[in-house]
Amino acid sequence: MTCASCVSRVEKTLKKQAGVSEATVNLATESARILLAGPNDAETLARLKRAVRDAGYEPRMTDAMDDATPAHWMGLPVDVWPVLVGVLLSAPLALPMVGDLLGKHWMLPAWIQFVLATPVQFVLGARFYKAGWHALKALTGNMELLVAIGTTAGWALSTWLWWKAEPGEMVHLYYEGSAVVITLVLLGKWLETRAKRQTTSAIRALHALRPERAHLLPDGIRRIELTDVPVDELLPGDIIRVLPGERFAADGEVLLGHTQADESMLTGEAMPVAKQPGDFVTGGALNGGGAVEVAVRAIGAQSVLAQIIALVQDAQAAKAPVQRLVDQVAAVFVPVVLVIAAATLAAWLWSGAPVEEALLHAVAVLVIACPCALGLATPTAIMAGTGVAAQHGILIKDAQALEVAHRVDTVAFDKTGTLTVGHPRLQAIEAAPGVDEQAVLQAASALQAQSAHPLARAVMDAAASRGLAVAPDAAQDVQAVDGRGGWGTVQGVRLALGSLRWMDELAAPLGALAERAQALQNEGATVSVLAAQSGAGAWSPLALLAFADEAKPGAAAALAGLRAQGLRLFMVSGDNQGAALAMAKKLGLRAEAGEVIAEVLPGDKAAVVHWLKQGGKGEFEPPRGAATRAAAERGGLHTVAMVGDGVNDAPALAAADVGLAMSHSQGGGSDVAMHAAGITLMRGDPMLVAAALDISRRTVSKIRQNLFWAFAYNAAGIPLAALGYLSPVLAGAAMALSSVSVVSNALLLKRWKPPVAEPSGAAHRPGGSNG
């Protein structure tokens, strides 16, 4: 494909096919994303490919395009040879124009001009005739049609003037105009292709992370020795050995050995991460100085690297909402240009100009109006922006999230795991009178043995540190109660472990423990209660369990940087008011300004997002049931970004204008958040929030700049050509320059670096231009 009109034609063709509910086509990647309502089988694929071919294009599956390195011949890329041949044949034709500037009159014989220009016109220019013919059959237009009509008119005019000239008569011919225009267009497309390859460098770099082979350890049954196998043959459960300096072949868990992993290409984290038995490693990361044995946990499309590549490809192939305007213009652009060219021809003839002069002005209009830059303006900027963001650990799921993120004026953060480390520790156990502390911890760990909740892990860690062994089946009938806690039966006694709010619902009065619970909350602890149920069904508290979490390093600086940009900041937490306020103080959030929203149930976080969209005035009162969902779906006065990392954050991430899911090294709940969010942060670093908003603003700025220049070229060039101020050669050069300049402007985004925190807390950008 070559221009915005090509995009429109392929989209229309695909949407007409049975079973296609949606199709979007991207000029920069020359790819289509198709949503099928029917089966995705071989017959459907064959039908789609045939439809694309009938529209005048060559369909290729994306797998066949992964290796974007062009073939070479005689040491040069194959695609540069048509340009070189065009230059060799066109240069002698352009020589008289240079001579005129020097006051010399160099003129080749007509037959030599014909011999040089004809192969350029009909051999090198054959691609324009072929694509233009397909456009005509489809009753549409494209860049090739304009070039074919314009250059053919110039060549035919020259041939006619030569044919009607008297023997020996020197006539001025225009072969050089047609030949040079075709050569310039070919040169422009070659430069454009080279530039577009740079915008896809992020995808190719991610593909290159995956090693080709893995060292598979023997299983004692089928394999009795170490075997090197292709990575594609690995299965979950296989055990592989990774040597120092090699890349991990698959996602897995370290079983044996200690090392450090360089995950910079996946997460943007520059420092190696220590790995020991039990730690998760990501396929594609670079192993440091130790040999380790790894149990494979995920392969193929389920691996983290494959999911990252898929997210980046989807974002680069998607169409931004602003592109709809471009598509509407492109749909009528070529027909309008043909009308303007015809009007130009008629106007010059009416004014008394010779036929050849009128025709040259019409040709100039056709050539300069090629809508190449228009089709490249948006997708090249998106490709460059999403690519460089991925290299720094920011995965942008779709172009819409990118476009909306630059308007964000409010950022809401989940607390646990997002602004805090997310690994709380059991700080204290306050047992009721007559209750043994060790017995409380033993019972609590039995209830929490099967839970993955951070507080449950803190209980298990505390039990392990005291040497308390807990059998996996020590508790029966264990059930989790969403947003409250969990209960089960331990040694025949019904126990409940959960929040103070839940204890109120269970009518379990704290009695003598109430004052201590308040004191622990004031100190910033998250307080849970272990209660037992009597035979009469009443609940009585056995002990308080106080948990403490730490703020992430750099979280306060990240929030200060966002505040310095004029953003409204909020922290949303399910913790009690005391714990939330204590953490807010450490982070620099202002409770008196209403920036702390505590004791929010997971199901109400989406309603908090809606409340913030509407301005966040007064105390938050969560609506219930269907009202919560309806509130979260309505728009508001503010553009809100929600940042979270867990399963319970997913509804709020989806309800926000832009959801930012913060990943963590062990996966888990963050995977659910990633699917609900428009942007995924591959490191648990709050500074990435500012970086994601920054690259969004810069990418949208590049889109606007590109669209301005694309429209400006045509808005200025067409009138100049119609009025006779541009020759076809200058028009061809300007048209080629417009495409190259748009792509080159987008490539400036590749120089972007994320903002970093200063010691004072504000964020600044590294030295040098960020494009």
Side-chain angles (χ1 to χ4, degrees):
M1 299 188 296
T2 57
C3 69
S5 297
C6 299
V7 171
S8 178
R9 186 158 88 251
V10 176
E11 277 188 356
K12 288 179 181 177
T13 299
L14 289 171
K15 289 177 180 178
K16 290 178 182 177
Q17 305 308 306
V20 174
S21 59
E22 182 182 340
T24 57
V25 176
N26 185 300
L27 176 61
T29 58
E30 296 185 344
S31 63
R33 300 169 77 244
I34 303 166
L35 181 63
L36 296 174
N40 181 16
D41 53 19
E43 181 181 345
T44 301
L45 180 60
R47 248 189 315 106
L48 294 175
K49 292 171 72 174
R50 180 174 295 180
V52 171
R53 181 172 282 107
D54 290 343
Y57 301 89
E58 183 65 24
R60 290 179 293 172
M61 298 305 295
T62 51
D63 293 343
M65 300 176 68
D66 285 343
D67 183 9
T69 304
H72 282 63
W73 184 62
M74 294 181 62
L76 292 174
V78 171
D79 56 358
V80 78
W81 279 104
V83 179
L84 294 179
V85 173
V87 170
L88 290 174
L89 294 176
S90 302
L93 294 171
L95 196 60
M97 291 191 298
V98 178
D100 289 341
L101 296 176
L102 301 175
K104 306 292 184 182
H105 298 286
W106 301 329
M107 183 64 68
L108 295 174
W111 70 270
I112 293 180
Q113 294 186 52
F114 176 83
V115 169
L116 291 173
T118 300
V120 176
Q121 183 69 46
F122 297 105
V123 178
L124 300 181
R127 54 182 285 182
F128 301 115
Y129 290 102
K130 180 182 177 182
W133 173 243
H134 282 290
L136 281 177
K137 288 196 299 182
L139 299 178
T140 62
N142 58 9
M143 182 204 81
E144 285 91 345
L145 181 62
L146 296 180
V147 173
I149 293 175
T151 57
T152 302
W155 181 91
L157 173 63
S158 300
T159 304
W160 179 69
L161 291 173
W162 175 34
W163 175 75
K164 76 168 188 173
E166 297 294 334
E169 180 185 356
M170 291 294 292
V171 294
H172 185 76
L173 306 179
Y174 304 96
Y175 284 121
E176 82 282 351
S178 296
V180 171
V181 164
I182 288 178
T183 302
L184 284 172
V185 173
L186 292 175
L187 174 62
K189 299 308 291 182
W190 179 70
L191 292 173
E192 176 190 309
T193 301
R194 286 192 62 195
K196 285 196 298 186
R197 273 182 48 77
Q198 295 184 46
T199 65
T200 59
S201 60
I203 289 289
R204 293 198 304 278
L206 288 170
H207 276 292
L209 294 180
R210 189 168 177 258
E212 294 182 359
R213 303 187 72 80
H215 310 304
L216 184 60
L217 290 171
D219 60 4
I221 303 174
R222 296 180 300 276
R223 298 183 309 279
I224 59 174
E225 59 183 13
L226 186 70
T227 309
D228 280 1
V229 298
V231 169
D232 292 336
E233 295 181 13
L234 290 178
L235 298 171
D238 284 344
I239 300 176
I240 58 175
R241 178 173 294 159
V242 185
L243 302 177
E246 294 182 339
R247 293 197 179 275
F248 291 95
D251 296 357
E253 179 185 344
V254 176
L255 298 180
L256 184 64
H258 294 72
T259 189
Q260 290 186 325
D262 179 358
E263 300 174 338
S264 57
M265 274 302 294
L266 297 169
T267 66
E269 174 57 64
M271 297 300 294
V273 180
K275 300 294 181 182
Q276 59 186 359
D279 285 346
F280 181 83
V281 291
T282 305
L286 186 65
N287 186 23
V292 291
E293 294 182 5
V294 176
V296 176
R297 296 295 184 236
I299 60 172
Q302 284 73 45
S303 68
V304 171
L305 179 58
Q307 291 177 29
I308 291 174
I309 292 174
L311 280 173
V312 177
Q313 284 178 326
D314 282 349
Q316 293 190 343
K319 186 172 292 186
V322 71
Q323 185 70 21
R324 297 182 191 128
L325 170 64
V326 178
D327 292 343
Q328 291 170 0
V329 172
V332 298
F333 190 84
V334 173
V336 169
V337 169
L338 290 173
V339 171
I340 294 174
T344 300
L345 177 64
W348 280 94
L349 290 175
W350 181 76
S351 68
V355 173
E356 54 267 29
E357 183 182 354
L359 193 58
L360 285 176
H361 296 323
V363 168
V365 170
L366 291 172
V367 171
I368 201 169
C370 295
C372 313
L374 207 57
L376 291 169
T378 300
T380 51
I382 290 174
M383 290 171 67
T386 55
V388 72
Q391 292 173 351
H392 290 93
I394 303 166
L395 300 184
I396 299 170
K397 189 175 180 180
D398 54 48
Q400 184 169 350
L402 186 73
E403 191 168 334
V404 173
H406 87 281
R407 301 198 305 267
V408 165
D409 58 17
T410 303
V411 183
F413 289 87
D414 170 58
K415 181 177 79 72
T416 304
T418 303
L419 292 174
T420 68
V421 176
H423 300 297
R425 67 183 188 280
L426 183 60
Q427 187 179 37
I429 299 177
E430 297 285 340
V435 178
D436 180 63
E437 184 177 306
Q438 291 286 90
V440 167
L441 184 56
Q442 184 96 27
S445 58
L447 275 180
Q448 302 296 314
Q450 303 303 318
S451 174
H453 194 279
L455 297 185
R457 290 199 298 269
V459 171
M460 299 302 296
D461 290 343
S465 68
R466 300 192 188 188
L468 299 177
V470 179
D473 57 350
Q476 293 80 40
D477 303 325
V478 177
Q479 290 182 319
V481 181
D482 186 33
R484 290 165 172 82
W487 48 20
T489 303
V490 179
Q491 296 180 350
V493 179
R494 186 71 170 166
L495 299 177
L497 176 60
S499 65
L500 295 171
R501 176 189 292 185
W502 192 29
M503 292 301 119
D504 288 340
E505 295 174 3
L506 295 177
L510 294 183
L513 295 175
E515 185 176 344
R516 184 55 182 155
Q518 187 61 50
L520 289 169
Q521 285 184 332
N522 293 338
E523 293 171 7
T526 298
V527 179
S528 294
V529 180
L530 179 68
Q533 188 176 35
S534 66
W539 292 90
S540 58
L542 299 177
L544 305 176
L545 282 75
F547 300 90
D549 198 358
E550 295 295 327
K552 283 184 177 178
L559 293 176
L562 290 170
R563 192 190 303 281
Q565 296 177 30
L567 297 173
R568 302 162 68 232
L569 303 179
F570 294 89
M571 183 180 75
V572 183
S573 174
D575 275 348
N576 62 74
Q577 189 77 9
L581 291 176
M583 182 56 65
K585 185 176 181 180
K586 295 178 182 178
L587 294 169
L589 291 170
R590 301 172 301 198
E592 67 278 6
E595 294 180 347
V596 181
I597 307 171
E599 300 182 8
V600 179
L601 292 175
D604 290 332
K605 286 187 177 181
V608 171
V609 169
H610 164 67
W611 179 70
L612 293 175
K613 286 182 181 181
Q614 300 303 324
K617 304 295 184 182
E619 292 294 325
F620 169 68
E621 293 293 339
R624 295 288 181 246
T628 301
R629 294 191 296 273
E633 290 169 2
R634 290 198 297 270
L637 305 174
H638 295 274
T639 303
V640 177
M642 175 71 194
V643 189
D645 77 318
V647 174
N648 58 4
D649 298 320
L653 292 171
D657 295 292
V658 180
L660 292 93
M662 189 171 285
S663 180
H664 50 78
S665 60
Q666 302 302 322
S670 63
D671 295 338
V672 179
M674 285 172 62
H675 287 291
I679 299 175
T680 297
L681 310 178
M682 292 303 294
R683 300 196 312 276
D685 182 0
M687 277 301 299
L688 283 184
V689 176
L693 298 180
D694 186 61
I695 188 59
S696 167
R697 296 188 195 104
R698 291 175 180 273
T699 303
V700 171
S701 176
K702 285 299 177 192
I703 290 174
R704 289 172 175 170
Q705 291 171 20
N706 283 351
L707 287 175
F708 169 79
W709 286 113
F711 280 110
Y713 268 109
N714 289 310
I718 291 176
L720 288 174
L723 294 172
Y725 293 108
L726 287 179
S727 69
V729 172
L730 289 177
M735 187 271 291
L737 179 63
S738 68
S739 298
V740 176
S741 63
V742 161
V743 179
S744 300
N745 186 44
L747 285 175
L748 291 176
L749 284 170
K750 291 171 66 67
R751 301 161 58 188
W752 175 81
K753 301 291 183 185
V756 296
E758 292 179 329
S760 63
H764 78 285
R765 295 177 182 86
S769 171
N770 288 324

